[in-house]
Amino acid sequence: MTDIVRVPLSDGNYIEYIDDLIGSGAMKDVYFTPCKTKVVAFYREPQDAAARERLEMITGIYRERIFDVPGGEYWKELFCWPDQIIEFQGKLGLVMPVYPGHFFFEHGSVNDDMLGIKGKEKQGKWYASANNQNRFLDPRERGSWLNYLQISLKIARTVRRMHAAGLAHSDLSYKNVLVAPTRAQTCVIDVDGLVVPGKYPPDVVGTPDFIAPECVATAHLDKNDSARKLPSIQTDRHALAVLIYHYLLLRHPLRGDKVHALEPHEDETLGMGEKALFIEHPVDTGNRIKLENVRESELPWKDTNKLPYTITGPYLSQLFERAFIDGLHHPGLRPTADEWETALIKTLDLVQPCNNSGCAQKWYVFDNKTNPVCPFCDTKYEGLLPVLNLYSSRDGQSFKPDNHRLMVYRDQSLFPYHINRNIVPNERLADQDKSRVGYFINHHGRWLLVNEKMQDLTDVANKRPVSPGEHIELTDGLQLLCSKEPGGRLFVVQMVNKH
């Protein structure tokens, strides 16, 4: 029978764990508590005073700032944050919550789980590679393209919260972000190595593929050399951009076919460091992916002509350009996590379901063209396609464009944050703002907006109110005032007609 080990705590209480190793990472050995809702993780190597102090801050003041505030419950599934420090038999350890069940493979790999990953953690590496998805993952584990947009949004939001607290992850990668695509859930792990800029330096430089070019280029220097670039909020921004690009396009933004040196290590150092170049750079095409070097299982994702980064829509495309062109070697120009979050929210309002029921990705971003086509399966949209252009008033009188559009599809919902620009769909969203206020249906070829809760909905041209319980047909040029409150929006309807 497995022993239960009791560890005394400084406050006179104790915590127990089952003396049966369930996991071993790069730095820690992990054990379940008897209730299996928490784990105890012991560092294998002694931790110095600075490391201990950092852990005390992470389990103390920083944890309180994120979780022990209004809305703090929101973050409990998005972070696996340690609860407390323990010490036993000369080893320092942490008590942490167990990952929710959806972060473990339910079906695993193809051919009756040939790789034996069923029941193991859903590390993001399984989902960020075309080869892994196409060759190995059970189709029931994959999720749709919409799921990966939702995953990217949650990761951006989680990183934004870390950075707002003055913390950098230092090793943000698909290894340290668990994902559950079919549920669009994410969880950032290994937060015990968080960097407090100017106070606690990083323990690690990061995971290859996600290390910022300036860190790669100066990795040969001593850690105390002022010219050495170490993980920080700015390097997290690079890693975040790489993660989002990976999840949406299943390829690495810098791993093209340009050869910088014959010696592999030197080639890697130059290609990911000083000479790093975006594979889709619009002017310098020297690092393009050559299709003759691509495996069939990596297609169509590694065909950048077939699936260019621009399929992610106008908001994300602009940020990818800033991340991998403007900011690649100029860290101060990289998009912030907050900017990624905003762009992803707007992009999710641009998605359209593919008309092809057999489409593997099922959703795509409307490209503002009169002939919408799913980029993944080449299925054309047929019929009338309503697009709502969003305007809002800053002075209560004139309305200005919000650079925000909402695509309409069958059963698409309207929420308070669509009809009022002052309501933001994030962790601070009030309960009363989480329920829909209207929805869209297609009735015998006519697109209708059904008003459920909008008290001020008005057909502007006809000065006709549309009361809750009523509906109005969407026609080209129709102007709908949704709310008279400060920040209330005006919808201008555009009908894209494709037969």
Side-chain angles (χ1 to χ4, degrees):
M1 182 175 178
T2 307
D3 292 336
I4 301 294
V5 181
R6 178 174 290 192
V7 180
L9 303 175
S10 58
D11 61 2
N13 292 314
Y14 62 87
I15 190 165
E16 295 178 331
Y17 69 89
I18 303 170
D19 192 15
D20 183 20
L21 187 67
I22 61 168
S24 186
M27 300 175 66
K28 299 184 290 289
D29 294 325
V30 184
Y31 304 84
F32 270 129
T33 59
C35 62
K36 295 193 175 180
T37 61
K38 294 182 181 293
V39 296
V40 173
F42 286 106
Y43 288 93
R44 287 193 293 275
E45 300 296 329
Q47 301 296 296
D48 60 20
R52 181 187 294 267
E53 186 180 0
R54 175 168 58 192
L55 293 174
E56 288 172 351
M57 293 283 284
I58 289 170
T59 57
I61 187 171
Y62 288 113
R63 188 181 190 285
E64 293 166 8
R65 287 179 184 175
I66 291 177
F67 297 101
D68 297 344
V69 295
E73 284 289 321
Y74 178 86
W75 302 108
K76 288 191 175 177
E77 273 206 357
L78 296 178
F79 287 110
C80 183
W81 203 285
D83 297 328
Q84 63 187 124
I85 301 172
I86 60 173
E87 193 164 5
F88 186 60
Q89 295 180 344
K91 288 187 176 182
L92 200 65
L94 296 169
V95 180
M96 296 181 287
V98 169
Y99 313 137
H102 50 252
F103 290 121
F104 297 89
F105 283 110
E106 181 181 358
H107 307 288
S109 56
V110 295
N111 298 333
D112 197 24
D113 193 28
M114 62 178 283
L115 297 180
I117 60 174
K118 186 175 180 178
K120 294 187 178 178
E121 299 166 8
K122 292 182 178 178
Q123 285 192 358
K125 66 181 181 180
W126 288 106
Y127 301 95
S129 154
N131 185 61
N132 281 349
Q133 283 213 27
N134 289 334
R135 290 186 61 195
F136 302 125
L137 274 191
D138 188 301
R140 292 170 292 181
E141 299 277 12
R142 294 178 194 169
S144 69
W145 203 64
L146 174 62
N147 294 143
Y148 291 95
L149 283 168
Q150 295 166 330
I151 282 171
S152 298
L153 172 60
K154 289 184 177 179
I155 295 171
R157 184 171 288 154
T158 307
V159 174
R160 183 257 297 162
R161 185 65 191 88
M162 271 193 306
H163 290 178
L167 301 168
H169 189 281
S170 81
D171 192 13
L172 192 63
S173 70
Y174 46 50
K175 185 179 71 174
N176 290 325
V177 179
L178 303 180
V179 296
T182 57
R183 292 172 175 256
Q185 296 292 333
T186 68
C187 184
V188 174
I189 64 175
D190 279 0
V191 298
D192 53 298
L194 290 175
V195 175
V196 183
K199 188 171 179 67
Y200 301 117
D203 286 330
V204 295
V205 295
T207 300
D209 279 355
F210 297 91
I211 304 173
E214 64 271 21
C215 293
V216 176
T218 61
H220 64 285
L221 301 176
D222 184 81
K223 203 171 185 179
N224 297 314
D225 190 320
S226 60
R228 173 82 181 269
K229 303 299 181 183
L230 296 173
S232 65
I233 287 175
Q234 287 187 334
T235 66
D236 269 4
R237 289 173 183 166
H238 172 78
L240 174 61
V242 174
L243 263 178
I244 294 172
Y245 186 93
H246 246 306
Y247 282 128
L248 297 182
L249 296 164
L250 301 189
R251 57 181 183 253
H252 194 283
L254 307 181
R255 291 201 177 277
D257 283 325
K258 187 170 186 175
V259 177
H260 299 275
L262 295 179
E263 198 279 316
H265 177 72
E266 183 183 359
D267 183 58
E268 172 76 4
T269 300
L270 290 171
M272 299 299 285
E274 179 186 351
K275 302 294 184 181
L277 175 63
F278 184 32
I279 61 172
E280 298 186 77
H281 196 291
V283 178
D284 189 343
T285 61
N287 198 30
R288 287 284 193 270
I289 295 174
K290 297 175 182 176
L291 290 183
E292 59 264 31
N293 297 333
V294 172
R295 291 176 288 186
E296 186 177 350
S297 59
E298 296 173 315
L299 293 172
W301 299 97
K302 282 201 171 181
D303 184 346
T304 55
N305 289 321
K306 165 67 177 168
L307 297 178
Y309 71 95
T310 51
I311 68 166
T312 63
Y315 310 116
L316 294 179
S317 292
Q318 184 182 54
L319 294 192
F320 283 135
E321 290 162 7
R322 286 177 52 196
F324 303 131
I325 300 173
D326 305 333
L328 188 60
H329 297 288
H330 298 90
L333 299 180
R334 292 169 186 160
T336 65
D338 183 69
E339 289 178 292
W340 283 109
E341 182 180 5
T342 300
L344 283 156
I345 289 170
K346 288 184 175 182
T347 301
L348 282 162
D349 280 340
L350 283 182
V351 296
Q352 186 71 205
C354 182
N355 290 338
N356 174 13
S357 60
C359 179
Q361 301 307 318
K362 304 188 187 323
W363 297 82
Y364 62 97
V365 172
F366 176 62
D367 59 5
N368 200 29
K369 294 179 181 177
T370 56
N371 299 311
V373 176
C374 172
F376 304 110
C377 70
D378 298 322
T379 300
K380 296 180 180 180
Y381 183 90
E382 299 290 339
L384 282 173
L385 178 61
V387 183
L388 306 184
N389 296 284
L390 277 52
Y391 293 74
S392 63
S393 174
R394 276 67 167 171
D395 57 10
Q397 297 177 356
S398 59
F399 285 82
K400 296 181 180 180
D402 284 337
N403 187 28
H404 192 161
R405 312 176 93 189
L406 178 66
M407 302 303 302
V408 173
Y409 50 84
R410 193 183 302 272
D411 297 327
Q412 160 78 307
S413 296
L414 269 184
F415 290 93
Y417 50 81
H418 288 127
I419 68 171
N420 192 311
R421 70 184 297 269
N422 293 334
I423 299 174
V424 181
N426 59 23
E427 74 279 6
R428 293 181 291 274
L429 192 66
D431 287 341
Q432 66 267 23
D433 293 329
K434 293 178 181 178
S435 59
R436 75 181 189 183
V437 295
Y439 62 95
F440 301 92
I441 59 173
N442 188 296
H443 183 67
H444 299 303
R446 298 163 60 231
W447 282 101
L448 307 177
L449 167 58
V450 180
N451 183 9
E452 291 180 293
K453 298 180 182 178
M454 292 177 279
Q455 301 300 322
D456 301 329
L457 186 63
T458 304
D459 175 351
V460 174
N462 297 311
K463 297 182 180 179
R464 181 177 76 85
V466 183
S467 301
E470 296 182 346
H471 67 263
I472 185 170
E473 182 178 357
L474 301 181
T475 57
D476 196 55
L478 175 70
Q479 295 185 18
L480 292 172
L481 179 64
C482 299
S483 171
K484 295 178 182 177
E485 295 180 357
R489 279 200 165 113
L490 174 75
F491 291 170
V492 178
V493 180
Q494 175 185 353
M495 302 299 289
V496 177
N497 191 350
K498 174 61 184 170
H499 297 290

